[in-house]
Amino acid sequence: MKKNSSGFLGGIHPADGSDKELTVQAAVTEVNPDIVEISMEQTPGNVCRLLVKEGDFVQRGQLIGIPETFAAAAVHASVTGHVTKIKRIGSQGEICVIRSEGAWSAPEVRSYQSEWMEIDGMTREDILHSMEKGGIIGMGGAGFPAFRKYQTDKSIQTILINAAECEPYLTCDHILMREQPMGILNGIQLLIKAAGAAEAVLCIEDNKKDVIENFRTILKKKEVPIRLRELPTIYPQGGERQLIQSVLDVEVPAGGLPANVGVIVSNVATANAAADMVFGGQPLISRYVTVSGCVERPGNFLVPVGTRFQELLRKAGDVSAGQNLMIVGGPMTGYCIGTNVRAERAEGAVAKTTSGILILPEQITTETPCIRCGACGRVCPAGLNPFKIDFAYRNGKLDVCRKLYATECIGCGACSYVCPARIELAFRNIAARNAVKQTFRKRGVIQ
């Protein structure tokens, strides 16, 4: 398969841009919830031990959860108030319910958010320790502790700052870049030093002209090892390996990590969170969240971690479609948590990785037999044959799935999007990937 004009294999255009127009021009709304519900399992399977109990009074920014698993990150109170309840839902870790006793608001603008900061006096260890202490994670979706990624013993040459935001509907990163450009750039300086890299590349899709021009103007004022790369708008441009191929024309080997080719990829919000902690002393306790789709007032909201989804939907004017799906994240890689939802019935709360809440019309489709058109293979950015993996997985042949490199599936959903037979290729390819990794790791066949 040939690379597309962006430099990586496959890719699709699942939207025409009107989806992002729903929210990108709307003013940001700050949400001051009366109650937050902060989970000790901010990413699936990675749990923190809760340090407080019912009745305790906590301050905004106070440490309330310490990691018990390798890929967990510290959790902090996002509001000031009393712990009213400790609950558990299903297999999740404990959830700390805090009733706010004072209006939450974004902190005042500080020097690092308006001017370049000098970091010569900081060591790599200082930055990594601060990122660990602040519970900074990868904000692009996976939620891996940022300090662990930067602790690599590999020689890192380049940091790629992922600001592509290629998922339809989502504009929270775009808004962050518009609101906090200097915070982001100062955070990028920190990440360069934390990795011992020579430079960073700020990677933005060309549908974000306003922030591209603003960053160019700012970068002209100071000589720093940060350059901007404008990329064609195509999904999944923001995939880690796809971004590396697009910008550096380097391919990460199968089973390898970006660090193996001298690269670390971090989301633009991760850079901003690093600056908030190192320069502002603020741990990761708030974020921008896009609420869009079938709601009366789509927009972006600046919220404390733990803000309940029902609160966000109320702020967005409630749901405007009776038959609907509620999706956390984007429509391509997010996950459905409810059907026929109204604000008062919405379950769940904002985690550090929650980029968006989408209400989309429910579409009932029926799978029909594969016609072997090959469309899924042509758009697969990993160069796989999704229909072959799907067939092998449905027949229980994990050894065949492994030989078809199911472990390299990035879960982008492009295959399902183009399938004329409406086969749930992405769902079963992801299941095959996970099953192969689990089964063959136990056998010692793969690392």
Side-chain angles (χ1 to χ4, degrees):
M1 190 196 307
K2 294 183 178 179
K3 295 180 180 179
N4 61 39
S5 60
S6 298
F8 63 87
L9 299 173
I12 58 174
H13 292 90
D16 61 3
S18 60
D19 53 307
K20 291 182 181 286
E21 289 298 321
L22 289 171
T23 58
V24 76
Q25 298 302 331
V28 175
T29 301
E30 287 187 15
V31 178
N32 298 289
D34 293 329
I35 293 174
V36 294
E37 299 184 354
I38 306 174
S39 174
M40 293 300 106
E41 188 178 0
Q42 288 287 307
T43 56
N46 297 301
V47 180
C48 284
R49 176 167 60 85
L50 187 61
L51 300 177
V52 295
K53 62 184 184 300
E54 291 184 7
D56 284 354
F57 181 79
V58 295
Q59 294 281 355
R60 181 170 180 263
Q62 178 181 329
L63 179 68
I64 62 171
I66 56 175
E68 289 194 322
T69 56
F70 179 79
V75 177
H76 302 77
S78 58
V79 296
T80 295
H82 279 89
V83 178
T84 60
K85 189 175 183 180
I86 306 297
K87 63 180 183 178
R88 183 186 295 270
I89 300 177
S91 61
Q92 295 180 8
E94 292 177 302
I95 296 174
C96 180
V97 182
I98 306 172
R99 180 173 292 279
S100 177
E101 298 178 14
W104 180 91
S105 63
E108 296 180 359
V109 175
R110 301 182 181 181
S111 57
Y112 72 92
Q113 296 171 322
S114 60
E115 62 187 58
W116 287 102
M117 301 296 287
E118 295 298 329
I119 63 171
D120 289 343
M122 297 183 186
T123 66
R124 179 194 186 207
E125 289 69 28
D126 292 335
I127 297 169
L128 291 175
H129 176 70
S130 188
M131 290 167 66
E132 179 182 10
K133 183 180 177 182
I136 311 302
I137 62 169
M139 302 283 280
F144 191 72
F147 82 95
R148 293 201 185 278
K149 180 182 283 192
Y150 282 81
Q151 276 181 333
T152 179
D153 58 0
K154 306 293 184 183
S155 177
I156 303 300
Q157 300 301 313
T158 306
I159 305 295
L160 296 187
I161 302 300
N162 186 353
E165 197 168 43
C166 58
E167 277 257 18
Y169 287 97
L170 300 183
T171 58
C172 54
D173 284 351
H174 191 157
I175 296 303
L176 173 65
M177 289 187 282
R178 186 184 295 165
E179 296 281 320
Q180 299 292 345
M182 280 310 309
I184 289 167
L185 292 173
N186 279 314
I188 294 174
Q189 287 196 100
L190 295 172
L191 297 184
I192 293 172
K193 191 154 193 177
E199 67 164 355
V201 184
L202 178 56
C203 311
I204 311 178
E205 281 192 328
D206 58 13
N207 60 356
K208 304 172 181 65
K209 297 294 186 183
D210 56 340
V211 295
I212 288 173
E213 292 307 313
N214 189 37
F215 276 123
R216 280 182 174 150
T217 299
I218 296 172
L219 288 170
K220 287 178 182 177
K221 297 178 181 179
K222 183 178 175 66
E223 188 173 340
V224 289
I226 303 171
R227 60 186 173 95
L228 189 146
R229 178 68 181 272
E230 185 175 347
L231 297 168
T233 298
I234 183 172
Y235 180 84
Q237 184 72 264
E240 195 170 62
R241 296 183 176 209
Q242 288 64 48
L243 200 64
I244 294 171
Q245 287 180 304
S246 293
V247 177
L248 303 175
D249 196 24
V250 173
E251 187 170 345
V252 179
L257 296 172
N260 296 126
V261 294
V263 181
I264 291 178
V265 181
S266 284
N267 183 266
V268 65
T270 304
N272 188 66
D276 284 338
M277 182 60 196
V278 175
F279 297 122
Q282 176 182 290
L284 182 46
I285 56 174
S286 64
R287 66 160 298 141
Y288 290 96
V289 178
T290 302
V291 182
S292 192
C294 300
V295 293
E296 294 175 7
R297 295 188 296 273
N300 280 282
F301 300 82
L302 180 57
V303 303
V305 170
T307 300
R308 295 178 295 178
F309 294 153
Q310 58 183 250
E311 180 89 10
L312 278 175
L313 289 177
R314 280 197 293 266
K315 292 292 184 182
D318 211 342
V319 177
S320 58
Q323 302 293 314
N324 62 64
L325 301 175
M326 181 175 176
I327 297 171
V328 178
M332 302 299 292
T333 62
Y335 54 95
C336 179
I337 64 168
T339 60
N340 305 330
V341 174
R342 301 293 295 182
E344 67 273 9
R345 297 199 301 268
E347 298 291 338
V350 171
K352 296 179 183 182
T353 55
T354 305
S355 54
I357 301 296
L358 305 182
I359 304 295
L360 301 180
E362 185 176 18
Q363 295 181 341
I364 300 175
T365 59
T366 302
E367 290 190 9
T368 58
C370 175
I371 61 174
R372 299 296 191 270
C373 65
C376 58
R378 288 192 293 275
V379 301
C380 178
L384 307 178
N385 284 303
F387 78 92
K388 291 184 178 180
I389 296 172
D390 176 70
F391 184 80
Y393 179 72
R394 286 202 269 185
N395 285 276
K397 297 181 178 180
L398 291 184
D399 56 334
V400 175
C401 291
R402 182 171 70 90
K403 291 176 182 177
L404 291 170
Y405 294 97
T407 53
E408 300 308 300
C409 171
I410 66 169
C412 68
C415 52
S416 291
Y417 180 80
V418 301
C419 179
R422 296 293 183 262
I423 299 173
E424 291 287 354
L425 293 167
F427 177 79
R428 284 192 289 272
N429 273 237
I430 292 169
R433 176 194 67 191
N434 296 339
V436 168
K437 285 185 175 181
Q438 182 178 17
T439 301
F440 287 91
R441 188 175 288 127
K442 289 179 179 178
R443 298 181 191 176
V445 177
I446 61 176
Q447 298 299 315

